Amino acid sequence: MSSFVLAPASLVALLHGPDQPGIVARVSGWIFERGGNILHADQHRDMEAGIFFQRVEWVPANGDDSADTQAFHAFASSLGMAARVTSSNHRPRVAIFISKFDHCFHDLVLRWKSGDYACDLVAVVSNHRDLEEAARGYGLPYHVVPVTAATKAHAEAAQLALLRSLDVELVILARYMQVLSEDFLNQFGRPVINIHHSFLPAFAGGKPYHQAAERGVKLIGATAHYATAVLDDGPIIQQDVTRVTHRHGVDDLIRKGRDLEKIVLAQAVRWHLESRVLVYGNKTVVFD
Amino acid sequence: MSSFVLAPASLVALLHGPDQPGIVARVSGWIFERGGNILHADQHRDMEAGIFFQRVEWVPANGDDSADTQAFHAFASSLGMAARVTSSNHRPRVAIFISKFDHCFHDLVLRWKSGDYACDLVAVVSNHRDLEEAARGYGLPYHVVPVTAATKAHAEAAQLALLRSLDVELVILARYMQVLSEDFLNQFGRPVINIHHSFLPAFAGGKPYHQAAERGVKLIGATAHYATAVLDDGPIIQQDVTRVTHRHGVDDLIRKGRDLEKIVLAQAVRWHLESRVLVYGNKTVVFD
Amino acid sequence: MSSFVLAPASLVALLHGPDQPGIVARVSGWIFERGGNILHADQHRDMEAGIFFQRVEWVPANGDDSADTQAFHAFASSLGMAARVTSSNHRPRVAIFISKFDHCFHDLVLRWKSGDYACDLVAVVSNHRDLEEAARGYGLPYHVVPVTAATKAHAEAAQLALLRSLDVELVILARYMQVLSEDFLNQFGRPVINIHHSFLPAFAGGKPYHQAAERGVKLIGATAHYATAVLDDGPIIQQDVTRVTHRHGVDDLIRKGRDLEKIVLAQAVRWHLESRVLVYGNKTVVFD
Amino acid sequence: MSSFVLAPASLVALLHGPDQPGIVARVSGWIFERGGNILHADQHRDMEAGIFFQRVEWVPANGDDSADTQAFHAFASSLGMAARVTSSNHRPRVAIFISKFDHCFHDLVLRWKSGDYACDLVAVVSNHRDLEEAARGYGLPYHVVPVTAATKAHAEAAQLALLRSLDVELVILARYMQVLSEDFLNQFGRPVINIHHSFLPAFAGGKPYHQAAERGVKLIGATAHYATAVLDDGPIIQQDVTRVTHRHGVDDLIRKGRDLEKIVLAQAVRWHLESRVLVYGNKTVVFD
């Protein structure tokens, strides 16, 4: 939003729980009574499940964001709701995992350098040395953690130690070609966004462009999702597709797919960083 | 929304006016205090202009929609806001204007017959007899009002008299090939939705597909907008485009354009009927 | 193509077989030497498989299309190629199969009535009576063939007998809710185009919109394909998608999907009737 | 095409002129008789104008591309056709003009570095120093030519001298914020590709995103075209659009537009470099 640039420090709450009468009035009343000014509020009801979802962004009185954060959590609990509150003053610490493909990596870093992402890129982690020079050219610390079938457990332990030492709050898998184990995801316990190069659930797993060419589809896609223990099955954040024809061989699908992957991953990361993505069950509510 | 089918009678208010602190809390609080239950609420701030926009849908206590409608208007006035409130019990009376092209006509009527549109189609008005049989096949009254340069003023007077006698609340120009005069629009004083067969503001006026072919564009479009005194310049409700190549002659653009026109007009009509379109200045806010 | 309207009777050949040097020159030379005039020629090579594909459209000398058809088949054989030749004078006889959903049915028939499809609609076949009046309103013969698990074999036999008696050359499954058996498809032995309401291969089988809502995808799709013995697995002719959000429940997906289904099926039928679709293996080459 | 990577040196001819019987057979026959092997051939007829267009790609016998190039030009002349022949052995020399915006610049250079573009980037020319470090980081020579209203003629003379000394064959205006004079374009006499940040012909001239926001359009676009003497009026190569809503302010349009501009310009440059774009009148035929 254009307003973000000029806006003072604000809070964003993502709230969900059992639907109840007057919930919109209660939340906005709570903020108003404390002297806050609501900038945006967007809510959604899942009628079948009876769940209420809300994203509300406000400027707290006197700019006291930490007091309001605490108080809002307590308030949400009193409503029986789960809440996540983030301050625009907080810049999440982010690590990018890559292998040899560089298109998503360059794309993310250039967007970050141009000021699109309110976060700190604190580490680039790779199982290869190929992109080390590129990363260092951007002034980014580059950590090589080789992974083989035999060393995977050790490698993941090293990655986890690194992420913890840097207090990383978000990992972006920017065409990282290793599958992270369930154990790793559990121990890290924070969001991991992956880009899969197909329109999921079609063509999960390896070599999706080859699978797409084999099946003769007329559109190829890309899907950004939170990584979970089940491969390519996590909550979908964003997807897009592009048209292909018989004139496109697998190499063309790969080339055209790169643009899709960049756009879709970049969009998902933006939404996550702006606290626009609320996960529930295996789905997302994206307040865009 | 899937919920519409099952929902009890509800009210939708479209509200806009000068932004002010606590406005979200006040509106939702007002509804809550009167025992109403908010189903959906969506708001928007134009930060530069300092204007607040809201669409709020609620079920009033005891289903008393007429009392709440009156009271909400008074409440909005007290906030210095303009409001339009419609009840889901009210089915707007709609007239479709057509000439000889039938694709938008069939499309709208079939959607209406399948229950997509909560309105009453009370008249089909045309300057030609060509589609009379088709209209009567659907059981719709068909009014022929021929228009020539010499008789235009008379024709418009006859159209106006008809619309008034039928208490028509919305006119849809479904490829009606006559330009309605400023005087007609002023006297009718209610919304008129037009479909223009280009991506406005490109190719306003006559023969837009010919203009598009001449210019060599790679996409053709369609635009649904409210008709105003300035031809093809009214507030845009919806637009879409489709890709064309050098292999497409003007006839192909016309054929491909028909699908665009149908979809774009159908969407705009749906949004209008669901009270999702708020006009301000020469623009629209569409709460979709 | 706009030119088709004005063009004299022409032939279209769809040709494919092992790639070989000079193949383009040979085909065009053959036509030229017989006094024919090529209107369009489009070719494709599958480099990996070493297969050559061509669609060529020409006006034979003296308009003698039956002699050229015979001769071209012989010529193609001499090149080791498979060929299918159709004359623009030939209007294929088409049957539409439907159940209770009417959107694709109305859409196809209205396009046909407006002259978009150079074919004869000779039968509407349904397992229900619901759309009988609508079909008869269009002047189309309507055949009711009820289908239950117990009577399926009998029903298919009746359908086959009907198709043969009418010399039907193409069957369009316009949201026909019964699965045709492998035996039926083999015995019919002519193309059957189906519309599936998902982006295949995602969500094959029943209730794809429910599956899509369950998985939380951000795009829903539709796929037109030739029916084969394996359900929803035949060669894909056309696909398209549209964006959905958490605000869309299953009913909304169904509603939005109807527009996709109409457009995708209509496009596939058009391409098939214009001899633009060449099937090879389980894929299609579409010369659009 | 995936085949391009593995293919031996080949020739591409772009041919157009008065349509005539047997033209496809003559061209393919000519290549075949000289022992060449056609890889791709695509033709188009403008039926109204009676013009024939062809792109044909072939591997000459013995790989003798310079002899075939000469001979083909003579052959085309004998048919009364204009032809442009390029060899896959020839890498065009390209200059990129930029000002301060860097998104298209990074995008083009990264694609070029990854091997997507078969050309040599021989110069980056800018009227500002802002991107000098970025260009040098890529190892690209950076030329600063400041431009003011008073010095424009001098500046263009310096640019021309530079382009000639480097034998530049294509200039890409990657959000270069100066208008090149008609005189400059005439003297350079070679293609200049520009990216305009709107769906032309809508919003030509300055600040198109502001114009778009003012008009309230629901889609914003980008257009890549050859620069001509009339501002934003040259032959269009590629266009695309993306959806916007009332929630997007001008800054959001600018941000979303950047992705459009990158994709559209990158595609146009690719097509140009692969000899897929044939200009005629003020339009293009793109053999994609």
Side-chain angles (χ1 to χ4, degrees), chain C residues 22 25 28 32 38-39 41 43 45, chain D residues 22 25 28 32 38-39 41 43 45:
Chain C
S28 55
F32 185 47
I38 294 176
L39 297 177
Q43 44 273 326
R45 275 183 171 76
Chain D
S28 54
F32 185 48
I38 294 177
L39 298 177
Q43 44 273 329
R45 277 182 169 76

Side-chain angles (χ1 to χ4, degrees), chain C residues 64-86:
Chain C
D64 188 354
D65 54 346
S66 75
D68 259 37
T69 299
Q70 293 285 335
F72 192 89
H73 277 119
F75 167 65
S77 283
S78 75
L79 297 171
M81 297 262 170
R84 184 155 59 92
V85 185
T86 52

Side-chain angles (χ1 to χ4, degrees), chain D residues 173-184:
Chain D
L173 306 179
R175 295 300 311 277
Y176 179 65
M177 302 303 279
Q178 296 288 326
V179 177
L180 296 176
S181 72
E182 181 172 2
D183 192 48
F184 175 95

